[in-house]
Structures are given as C-alpha cells and as structure tokens.
Amino acid sequence: MISSKKIVTMGQQFGFDLIGLIPAKPSADSKYLEEWLKRGYAGGMNWIRRVKKKRLNPLEIFPEAKSIVLIGINYYLQDLPDEIKNDPARGIIARYAWVEDYHKLVLKKLREFTQELSGILKQKVNYKAYVDTGPTLERELARQAGLGFIGNNTNLINHQLGSYLFLGEIFLDVDLRSYIPKIIGSCGTCQKCMNACPTGALVDKKILDARKCISYLTIELKGEIPKELRPLIKNRIFGCDICQEVCPWNSKAKPTSFFKAVGENGHFRLREKEIAPPLLELAGLSEAEFKERFKENSVLRAKYSGLMRNVAVALGNWGSKQALIGIEHLLNNSNPLVKSHAFWAKKQILL
Ligand code: B12
Ligand code: SF4
Ligand code: SF4
C-alpha cells in the first residue's frame, strides 16, 4: 500500500496547504445537522434538507468510496484598512470573492491530483471531488481529518493558517492509509466572534442561525431582507468576514502562495476593483454590465437582482444625501425586489 506521507507530499506539490486522509464512513456527529435543521436555522436553504442523508454519509454519495482525501487551501491575501472597511460610500465584498471563482480552479486541481495518484497506484481510480459543490459536511470531514478545530464562529480553524481556508474533498474507491494530523488549539474562553457578530447570528457556541447571518442574507436569500436586519448589515454587500476578522487565530494568517502558483495567464488574480467598490458605481450597472464585470467571480451567485438589492440596503445605511443618486437609479430598476429595497433606502435618508 502506498505510504500516506507520499500522498501528502504530492498534495503539497499541488499547492494544498492542508491535507488529511480518512476512511469513508458515516458521520458520527449527525445530531448537530439534525438539530440545526429542526430549529429552522437553514432558513430558505432547502437544498441542505433535501440531501441530508448524503451529508451524513459519504457512502450515500458514492457507495464504492473507501477513503476520503480532505484538503484546505489558504486564501488569505491582505487586510483592509479600517478607513476603507468603514467607508459607508463603499460596498464590502467578502474575501473569498476577491479572486476569480475558486470552485472551478480547485476542482481542476483535485482532478489532476487524482490522476497522478492513479498513475502512482498503477490502477484506475474512481472518485468524486467537491469544493463547496457537493452534499457533504466539509467542516466536519475536515475536522475528522485533522485539518483543524471548529471555532465558536462555526469555521474550521487551523492553528497555523487560521480560518481563511477553502475546503475540498475527494471520495476514492481505493483503500488509503489514514493520515490525521493532531489537532492543535481551541477557542478556550474566547467569545470575540459571538460578541462581534452585528446581527447576533452566532446564537450559541458553534451554532449559527443562518437566517440572521449577513452571508446568508446577501448571498443565499433570494427574497426580501428582513427590515429589522437591514441597518445591521451596514455596507456589506456580498458575504461577511466579521467573525473571522476578530478571531485571534487569524492574526497569524500568512498571505497565500496558492494563487501565485496557479495564476499563470492571470487566471487567478486579486481583483482589486472588487474588494470595496463605490456603491454609486455599482448602482449604475446594467444586468449585462454586472455579468461582464463579475464573470468568473463568486459574486455572480447573488445574481444581478440580489446584488442590486444589497447595494440598495447599503445606500440606505450610508445615510448621506449623496446616496440618493444611486437610490434613484435603483428605483427605476425593473425588478420589484430591487425597487422595494431602494424605496426603503430612500426613506432611511429622507426621514
Ligand atoms: C450552507 C453554507 C453556508 C451557510 C450556513 C453556514 C453555517 N455555519 O452553517 C451560510 C450562507 C451562512 C454560509 C456562510 C459562510 N460560509 Co459557507 N458553506 C455552506 C455549505 C454549503 C454547507 C454548510 C452546512 O452544511 N451547514 C450546516 C451546519 C450544521 O454545518 P457546518 O457549519 O458545516 O458544521 C457544523 C457541525 O459540524 C457542528 N458541529 C461539529 N462539532 C460540533 C460540536 C459542538 C459542541 C456543536 C454545538 C456543533 C458541532 O457545528 C459545525 C459548525 O456549525 C458549506 C460547504 C459544505 N458542503 O460543507 C460552506 C462552507 C462551510 N462555507 C464556507 C465559507 C468560507 C463561508 C463564509 C466565510 C463566506 C463569507 N465570507 O461570507 C461564511 C461564514 C459564516 C459562518 N460563520 O459560518 C467554507 C468554510 C471554510 C472554513 N474554514 O470553515 C465552506 C466549507 C465552503 C468551502 N468549501 O470552502 N455558508
Ligand atoms: S458571517 Fe457575519 S453575520 Fe454571519 S455569523 Fe459571522 S459575523 Fe455574524
Ligand atoms: S474569535 Fe475566539 S471564540 Fe471565535 S472562533 Fe476565534 S477563537 Fe474561537
């Protein structure tokens, strides 16, 4: 049998910062997901409920699976100066979207890795690979594989790299020797993330009510953002990193080298324009311009109507008459969702 060390070294050559190998078996921690769903914390993400059985048991996804390779890729690039982060005239985009959409690229790397593994094993390997794209519990699998611990902010945290990590996995129909690094670190008595969350979405240690989470409200929610939550979102227009930014484990984060390693042809580059774009510039985008500007970027997931809805909320939160130019633009948008949020925003400024 191939040594696990050899597989880990190979993974590192592919640019994976963290790697662990575990046997494919049902999750022993099903109670957290069951309880989370029962309490309604998934909000409108019915797709999580629909594939619950698969999430709890890798063998439901791929019955021939014998082993799982878990990987983590550091995506930390830089911090935003406070004067930009707190500038109400700008919309803040979550860090994971500061680069080209990672899903496709990391999946490609996982496939290439599997091909090379198949070559070394001298046998055909059947597999399924996912990066946020499959019905799996990636944080839980990554924890089992020793990539890190689950923090009170619900993120998987590695003691050396912090939590700005993309997680991915490959289910393989071959038996591999396990490789499970010892997990170091914990939250201890810290609760900084819970205190910093503007909407109180971290309702308990390691428990997130997605219905209140800015990431859910600005990306996954397709309808109206509840009025009482709108002022708390401030200028976050796509995702949210607050509970990670305050985390002491991220003070040690080092800039990633992954993007440089895979960024030939400028494919995976920092999109400086999309870190904190001016709200007035975004409010003026047509749907075609939106699609062109955010092509190959995770922001597309919010769709045009979702991003314009979020921009309307941020304009309302700006609180300055200067925001009215953008709001007027959005009041003319043909989408009723955008219009209604723009109407709310206008009231915030004028009342
Ligand atoms: C749905 C989803 C969301 C939802 C819900 C998030 C949530 N906390 O459940 C929303 C839209 C809010 C979201 C937001 C974000 N997400 Co998201 N999301 C997912 C997705 C698709 C499924 C997660 C899921 O099943 N949630 C259900 C809950 C129950 O499970 P869980 O959080 O995964 O794991 C819990 C259980 O294992 C349980 N648990 C385990 N042990 C113990 C012990 C005790 C005592 C307790 C009480 C609980 C417990 O607690 C864990 C944490 O809640 C995964 C990809 C995947 N397939 O896994 C990405 C994923 C989790 N997201 C990711 C990221 C990057 C984000 C954001 C940072 C994006 C952003 N900047 O806006 C935020 C972070 C918000 C936050 N604090 O969680 C990464 C996480 C990387 C990491 N280091 O952990 C993932 C893995 C995607 C990826 N492949 O990189 N996300
Ligand atoms: S992502 Fe933002 S809103 Fe969601 S739990 Fe973290 S701090 Fe709260
Ligand atoms: S901020 Fe503190 S409590 Fe929250 S995840 Fe980090 S260490 Fe844990």
Side-chain angles (χ1 to χ4, degrees), residues 29 32-33 36 45 47-48 55 75 94-96 102 131-132 134 136-140 143 150 153-156 163 165-168 202 205-208 210 213 215-216 219-220 239-241 243-244:
D29 273 336
Y32 301 121
L33 178 67
W36 191 74
M45 295 183 289
W47 42 273
I48 299 187
R55 279 176 198 277
Y75 66 84
R95 290 159 188 257
Y96 81 93
Y102 69 94
V131 181
D132 192 39
T136 59
L137 278 177
E138 289 179 332
R139 286 167 167 159
E140 178 51 25
R143 187 193 64 77
I150 305 275
N153 61 11
T154 79
N155 284 291
L156 181 104
S163 65
L165 298 167
F166 298 136
L167 301 178
L202 294 166
K205 292 179 179 172
K206 301 182 183 19
I207 307 282
L208 175 125
C213 177
S215 183
Y216 169 77
I219 305 175
E220 298 300 329
C240 171
D241 290 318
C243 56
Q244 298 192 84

Side-chain angles (χ1 to χ4, degrees), residues 42-99:
M45 295 183 289
N46 295 323
W47 42 273
I48 299 187
R49 196 168 291 108
R50 272 200 301 274
V51 284
K52 188 179 84 180
K53 269 168 86 181
K54 288 190 177 168
R55 279 176 198 277
L56 296 175
N57 184 2
L59 300 172
E60 290 269 342
I61 302 176
F62 185 34
E64 300 82 31
K66 294 207 172 75
S67 316
I68 316 175
V69 178
L70 264 300
I71 63 106
I73 294 173
N74 173 19
Y75 66 84
Y76 174 78
L77 287 156
Q78 63 187 56
D79 287 321
L80 267 189
D82 281 350
E83 62 272 21
I84 294 191
K85 203 159 57 181
N86 302 325
D87 178 354
R90 290 175 183 273
I92 304 299
I93 291 186
R95 290 159 188 257
Y96 81 93
W98 291 0
V99 287

